[in-house]
Amino acid sequence: MVTVSIDNIEISFEGKKTILEVALQNGIYIPHLCFHPGLNSPKSLRSDGVVYRGEEEIRGVADIEYEGCHLCLVEIKGKKEFVHACSTLAEEGMVIYTNTSPIRQRRKDYLEEMLKTHPHVCMTCDLSEGCDRKICSMNVPEEARCCWKFGNCEFQSIALFVGFGESIPYSYKDTIVVDDNPLFLRDYNLCVGCLRCVVACREVAGGNAIGFVVQEGNVIVGTVAPTLKESGCRFCLACVEVCPTGALKDKKPGKNKSKIRKGIQPAVFPPTSNKDLLLLSEENLKLVPETEGVYRLWEGKENLYQITGTDNLRNSLLRELKEREGSVYLFDYEEDMMFTSRERQLIQQYLKKNGKLPPGNDEDDDLF
Amino acid sequence: MLVLLEPQFWRLKCKAYIKKENSKGRATDMSEEGSKKEFWRWDEYNWHDPDKDPKEAEILSAGVDVGSVSSQAVILADGELYAVANMRTGHNSPDSAKRAMNWALEGTGLKLEDIHYIVGTGYGRLRVPFANRAVTEIACHARGANFMYGPTVRTVMDMGGQDLKVIRCDERGKVISFSMNEKCAAGTGRGMEVIADLLRIPITEIGDLSLQVDEDPPAISNVCVLFAKTEVMGMLYENVPVNVILAAYTSAMAERVAAQVKEVGVEKDFVITGGIAKNRGVVERLERFLGVKSLKTDIDYQIAGALGAALFARVLYQKSLKKK
């Protein structure tokens, strides 16, 4: 039995685990990009000499160790340097802090570096929600616009969680988009070089189709041979499953789920707005204004139950409280004059992520 | 400046085309006749089934869809379409909800109190003072389409007054996926109204007129209603025949809408609801771009939302009976 303290919470566990694993399993989110819960950390993978993106051959320095994304840095009391939570074992008596301001700053610095070559208008544009991503009212150049993954993008939510400074320049990499098979597409302009796909291919799929080279300090991912077939790809799409960005895209979303792919643990997204959830109680409802807005009901911190727009937040929530007497709900709300359209936006986001309506919104549909 | 140059650009693109069309003598008719007419107006109407006696019905349910541009009320007698009213939304939603409902009741001998359960939906759904419940328009449209076109419907595209919704649903009319554009009026009914007014063509004729070209001209380069208006004005100035302008505008609209539908994916059967579904020009072009035909029905495409709401009202009433 090992006992550690993470953010002043005592946690005990059996066996050998990394700090990141312990934290995630106990509901403490530490940002992580190169690490995926279903895979080992790509840290200490060694670069190849050459990779291919379609026909294009890319050479780089071989045998350089991958350093990791650095987003999971944490502080251990008594240690001068921050350590990577994904590759440091949690040891008896460790006192770990995951969210101090120097750590947050370091994470921001690393993230900002990545954002310089990854389009991020999706996180900065005021009109991004409710936008159809076809025509850009803000005149953003096409290559810098929101990509297809909007709203369901792990990298986007990590970046929003970590935060970054204003007006970070974006330069388009203008690399090749490889579209050579009916199952998935590779748009390397969106690749952040986290190497999850490399690990997935080697560990989960038992293949070795994907590799990476290092060129002037930049990680460049590609296949080990010009075509997927020659690279030994078996099209299990494990790499697509774990990609945190829009770089690897399913051509038929939801249709091609191999056994291997289905077996991969889902990624852990950062907690989003449910930080300030309140208990649905008369006491808490006194703080809610009697204005137009959208409220959300939660069954526990992670399970969104219902999204509803209303012209009177407090009254509607009081009604919910009465109707749901006996069961415990959490809620949050936002004031919005245009509550019907805000409600639709939130439902749209939910549908995109979960493929169905929130259970509470679905209740009526089940009547038929 | 760029915006002002765009009509020029369009002209360059299809100079030869305009010449050909002009030589056929279908010049723009800009006569003063009917100058006071409001060209964007579409027909408001009410209807009820004279063969049915609503007094015999066990459950009378109603749905009221208060949209940004139009409001509809639908009354169902035991789940069958009984009465409908379709009109413009005024500046005051409670009033338009009431007016639509009263109009639907007109001539049926029914009173508002006779309706057992009423569901409000649409943008102004919480402004239906006499409704027992409000249900989101997403669920209502899927449900309404399921009723109108049958259980084979998988993709519902609602081209509303000020927004565009694409809803994917299962065979029971349950929503699976949903995408919406509401930040921009391009591709919506309001956009079409603006163009109708500008060109002084009754909105109901736009679809047919836009199809009176041998082949489609290049689409207008910008579907943003404001920019498109500028572009269309430029074309008018150049004496481009009106049918060509309309063809260019409707195909731009269809192109844009098609792109959004493709994002969600079109699964058959595909249906279009909302006022724009009555515009053959948009529908036929859209079908061409998407490569699928949309189902057709005799029921007014505009009432899908209200119809869905009325269906919800029916089951919600049944549920409330069971509780008692």
Side-chain angles (χ1 to χ4, degrees):
Chain A
M1 177 78 89
V2 183
T3 305
V4 295
S5 147
I6 304 181
D7 292 342
N8 300 321
I9 299 169
E10 294 263 310
I11 296 167
S12 303
F13 62 92
E14 299 281 350
K16 271 189 173 180
K17 281 182 185 174
T18 63
I19 297 174
L20 186 55
E21 280 169 336
V22 176
L24 291 180
Q25 282 162 12
N26 287 280
I28 299 168
Y29 181 80
I30 301 173
H32 52 275
L33 183 64
C34 67
F35 173 81
H36 182 283
L39 308 169
N40 279 321
S41 164
K43 271 192 72 188
S44 78
L45 280 184
R46 294 191 165 270
S47 66
D48 303 295
V50 57
V51 290
Y52 297 85
R53 288 179 170 179
E55 290 297 311
E56 190 189 344
E57 180 186 286
I58 304 164
R59 292 192 172 274
V61 193
D63 212 28
I64 292 187
E65 195 178 300
Y66 177 63
E67 288 178 12
C69 66
H70 304 298
L71 295 185
C72 70
L73 286 177
V74 293
E75 186 184 330
I76 297 174
K77 204 175 175 181
K79 284 203 179 171
K80 262 192 184 167
E81 296 281 314
F82 296 152
V83 300
H84 292 96
C86 69
S87 55
T88 310
L89 286 178
E91 287 165 16
E92 178 61 36
M94 261 187 185
V95 178
I96 302 151
Y97 298 102
T98 71
N99 199 18
T100 65
S101 106
I103 294 176
R104 285 203 298 267
Q105 191 51 50
R106 281 282 290 281
R107 287 180 188 153
K108 268 183 199 167
D109 295 343
Y110 284 118
L111 176 70
E112 284 174 6
E113 210 44 53
M114 282 184 242
L115 290 179
K116 283 180 186 165
T117 51
H118 187 92
H120 48 270
V121 171
C122 57
M123 297 175 253
T124 54
C125 177
D126 288 336
L127 297 179
S128 67
E129 290 201 42
C131 171
D132 68 351
R133 318 203 191 287
K134 291 288 165 256
I135 289 179
C136 179
S137 324
M138 307 303 278
N139 270 329
V140 174
E142 205 147 342
E143 66 271 9
R145 288 187 194 167
C146 306
C147 76
W148 64 277
K149 194 127 190 195
F150 184 92
N152 192 19
C153 173
E154 191 181 349
F155 183 63
Q156 183 186 28
S157 36
I158 293 171
L160 288 170
F161 182 86
V162 171
F164 50 90
E166 261 173 50
S167 56
I168 297 180
Y170 164 65
S171 57
Y172 182 46
K173 285 190 275 188
D174 202 6
T175 53
I176 193 165
V177 178
V178 191
D179 185 3
D180 58 357
N181 70 82
L183 296 180
F184 70 110
L185 185 123
R186 291 171 282 157
D187 183 351
Y188 287 112
N189 292 303
L190 299 170
C191 177
V192 289
C194 71
L195 302 193
R196 277 187 190 182
C197 53
V198 179
V199 183
C201 190
R202 293 184 191 173
E203 274 180 17
V204 182
N208 193 13
I210 316 172
F212 72 104
V213 296
V214 176
Q215 244 184 15
E216 295 164 21
N218 295 320
V219 172
I220 297 172
V221 178
T223 46
V224 297
T227 66
L228 287 170
K229 215 173 168 187
E230 287 167 283
S231 305
C233 174
R234 292 186 298 160
F235 298 94
C236 67
L237 305 196
C239 53
V240 180
E241 183 67 31
V242 297
C243 180
T245 69
L248 299 178
K249 180 184 181 183
D250 257 319
K251 282 195 174 172
K252 294 169 192 156
K255 291 231 169 97
N256 299 311
K257 293 252 177 182
S258 65
K259 250 192 192 154
I260 298 180
R261 186 175 180 181
K262 274 189 200 154
I264 301 176
Q265 257 188 53
V268 180
F269 277 58
T272 40
S273 50
N274 47 355
K275 279 176 259 171
D276 321 309
L277 291 183
L278 295 168
L279 185 71
L280 189 63
S281 67
E282 240 168 276
E283 200 55 32
N284 282 334
L285 287 182
K286 281 180 190 157
L287 308 167
V288 179
E290 290 196 53
T291 50
E292 295 106 336
V294 180
Y295 65 85
R296 295 188 290 183
L297 293 181
W298 302 75
E299 293 178 312
K301 284 220 161 199
E302 301 303 322
N303 297 326
L304 180 61
Y305 179 72
Q306 187 182 322
I307 301 170
T308 307
T310 168
D311 54 347
N312 188 325
L313 281 168
R314 193 195 298 172
N315 282 356
S316 302
L317 280 164
L318 277 171
R319 206 195 57 235
E320 296 281 2
L321 177 66
K322 239 185 249 163
E323 280 177 16
R324 296 173 197 287
E325 226 170 1
S327 30
V328 181
Y329 282 91
L330 302 168
F331 76 97
D332 63 351
Y333 66 90
E334 44 189 292
E335 291 174 52
D336 197 330
M337 287 277 286
M338 303 289 286
F339 56 91
T340 41
S341 65
R342 180 65 188 145
E343 177 198 274
R344 282 185 301 188
Q345 281 172 13
L346 291 172
I347 291 181
Q348 186 177 358
Q349 284 169 17
Y350 185 92
L351 271 167
K352 214 168 176 189
K353 227 179 229 169
N354 300 287
K356 55 177 193 237
L357 287 169
N361 295 70
D362 219 11
E363 239 169 36
D364 294 338
D365 255 3
D366 284 332
L367 291 172
F368 288 88
Chain B
M1 266 324 277
L2 195 75
V3 176
L4 294 176
L5 286 175
E6 264 166 6
Q8 210 101 31
F9 179 58
W10 192 90
R11 282 198 300 277
L12 282 178
K13 274 199 289 186
C14 50
K15 216 165 189 173
Y17 187 89
I18 296 167
K19 222 174 177 179
K20 203 172 85 195
E21 283 291 318
N22 264 338
S23 65
K24 287 182 197 157
R26 288 193 209 129
T28 321
D29 177 19
M30 291 288 282
S31 63
E32 277 303 301
E33 186 200 338
S35 60
K36 291 227 172 68
K37 208 175 154 197
E38 290 168 301
F39 290 94
W40 47 262
R41 275 210 185 271
W42 36 268
D43 295 332
E44 301 174 304
Y45 72 91
N46 70 343
W47 167 90
H48 70 268
D49 189 343
D51 300 333
K52 280 199 188 93
D53 182 5
K55 299 260 154 57
E56 280 174 14
E58 258 172 60
I59 300 177
L60 286 167
S61 63
V64 184
D65 180 358
V66 181
S68 52
V69 171
S70 68
S71 296
Q72 292 84 22
V74 166
I75 302 171
L76 297 181
D78 286 335
E80 278 177 41
L81 199 56
Y82 172 63
V84 176
N86 180 4
M87 66 203 302
R88 290 190 71 82
T89 300
H91 52 87
N92 166 335
S93 336
D95 203 41
S96 17
K98 234 179 262 170
R99 279 191 305 153
M101 193 67 211
N102 286 339
W103 210 26
L105 291 166
E106 200 179 279
T108 61
L110 291 173
K111 283 200 277 309
L112 188 60
E113 302 83 72
D114 298 332
I115 311 288
H116 296 109
Y117 206 99
I118 302 175
V119 164
T121 188
Y123 157 84
R125 80 181 99 104
L126 290 173
R127 300 269 184 266
V128 186
F130 46 82
N132 304 70
R133 266 285 296 276
V135 175
T136 71
E137 51 273 36
I138 311 165
C140 286
H141 272 284
R143 182 71 48 204
N146 184 274
F147 179 93
M148 285 162 70
Y149 302 91
T152 53
V153 174
R154 290 293 173 280
T155 313
V156 183
M157 186 169 85
D158 178 50
M159 302 183 74
Q162 285 186 8
D163 62 10
L164 174 71
K165 294 184 269 291
V166 186
I167 307 166
R168 293 274 300 273
C169 57
D170 66 9
E171 72 284 354
R172 291 178 304 151
K174 221 170 130 101
V175 180
I176 317 175
S177 165
F178 168 65
S179 140
M180 152 184 79
N181 157 38
E182 56 168 359
K183 283 283 186 294
C184 173
T188 67
R190 188 72 195 113
M192 196 53 96
E193 288 184 0
V194 168
I195 298 300
D197 218 28
L198 180 70
L199 292 178
R200 314 171 63 73
I201 306 280
I203 195 154
T204 44
E205 288 169 26
I206 284 185
D208 289 340
L209 263 178
S210 78
L211 289 171
Q212 288 169 17
V213 288
D214 298 337
E215 53 181 306
D216 267 1
I220 280 186
S221 49
N222 203 321
V223 260
C224 168
V225 177
L226 291 174
F227 295 160
K229 209 173 155 183
T230 320
E231 204 165 325
V232 167
M233 270 154 73
M235 288 155 82
L236 280 176
Y237 194 71
E238 283 287 303
N239 256 333
V240 179
V242 121
N243 51 329
V244 178
I245 301 181
L246 288 174
Y249 182 73
T250 42
S251 49
M253 187 160 163
E255 235 171 66
R256 176 196 155 76
V257 170
Q260 193 184 346
V261 185
K262 276 186 191 155
E263 190 84 341
V264 188
V266 186
E267 196 185 331
K268 282 204 234 174
D269 288 342
F270 170 68
V271 302
I272 309 175
T273 63
I276 299 276
K278 297 177 186 171
N279 185 320
R280 264 180 60 214
V282 179
V283 172
E284 283 181 22
R285 288 187 173 90
L286 196 55
E287 287 174 340
R288 201 161 62 219
F289 291 141
L290 291 174
V292 288
K293 287 270 174 211
S294 62
L295 294 188
K296 307 282 186 292
T297 170
D298 296 335
I299 304 175
D300 183 358
Y301 303 117
Q302 257 180 303
I303 67 164
L307 183 57
L311 289 164
F312 269 110
R314 184 174 140 80
V315 287
L316 286 167
Y317 181 66
Q318 285 168 331
K319 191 182 157 197
S320 71
L321 287 183
K322 267 186 211 153
K323 263 190 184 168
K324 277 175 196 167

